[in-house]
Amino acid sequence: MKRFSILLFTLLVGTQVAAQQGSDIYLFNFKIDQNHFTLSNARNITNSPGYDNQPYFMPDGKSLLYSSDDGFGQTDIYRYYIEGQNERRLTFTPNSEYSPTVMPDGENFSCVILERNGDQYLWKYPIHGAIPRKVTAINNIGYHCWINKDNLGLYIVGEPNTVDMVNLASNETKTITNTPGITLITAPDKGNMLTYADLTDEHHWYIKEFNIDTKESVTVIETLKKSQYYTWTPSGILLAGDGKRIYKFDPKQDTEWIELANLGDYGIKEFTRLAVSPKGDMLAVVVSE
């Protein structure tokens, strides 16, 4: 594992500049269906000082991408191989890369590059390494999510922050909300939907789905205690956390969030992001140092 000296760096979020918090990525064996839930074999797969965050499983579930502080003030993208328990550094630029995401073609991954002048564009790299290419000319991108090869959900940093749906083929852009949460994901069984959080009501935040065909949003459920971190399982169950515990909401049978596990039982004091493997057999959790 990497063991570097800690060096703080910054990323623009809205109008504030926030130092990146130290974090590690834990991996669990995981299973959930309508009647059973198991969580076991917790292990810290990054185990280094500084920032390790934004895990994204590869389609075959055998490895995952993540962003990591390189120890010299930059953030690069790494790939962790689960069976071999080893990692490979994928980017070596003078800028910082965030939010690695496998693209629909399966041959490339996209990431937000924070340039030294403050620009934040979306670029793509071949999975096995090569020169990156810019995906879109849109600037100030904080986070992104692929709906399909043409449609892309973008969290745009500005006054206000927005979530926009962009069609790369037609260059059509539609703003979905100007009070967004930071997580953008898709449900595995809903190929034309973008899941996002709407923070319009300061007392009640809601997870919603935007249909790229009808251009309309529907509410899934109120967020869990104002949490902005959630993910879908392959079977269509929504997972979220309150920083201490993991909850689930199954739209097919649940009417409210149901507690599944307290990560304090694994020595974890606080966590944020969640990611589930494509087969639904592993769960990655970002744990605060």
Side-chain angles (χ1 to χ4, degrees), residues 236-256:
I237 297 173
L238 197 60
L239 301 180
D242 64 1
K244 307 293 183 183
R245 292 166 291 271
I246 295 177
Y247 295 76
K248 69 104 173 179
F249 173 75
D250 185 346
K252 299 181 183 69
Q253 66 177 28
D254 298 332
T255 58
E256 61 184 1

Side-chain angles (χ1 to χ4, degrees), residues 256-275:
E256 61 184 1
W257 291 104
I258 297 174
E259 182 177 339
L260 294 177
N262 188 332
L263 295 194
D265 296 339
Y266 300 89
I268 294 172
K269 296 181 179 179
E270 185 177 4
F271 70 93
T272 54
R273 295 180 184 276
L274 302 164

Side-chain angles (χ1 to χ4, degrees), residues 5 10 15 24-25 61 78 122 125-126 139 144 151 157 159-160 191 209 234 238 266:
S5 59
T10 59
T15 58
D24 281 314
I25 299 172
Y78 288 77
L122 187 66
Y125 285 86
N139 196 0
H144 71 290
N151 290 282
V157 178
E159 288 289 348
E209 288 184 322
L238 197 60
Y266 300 89

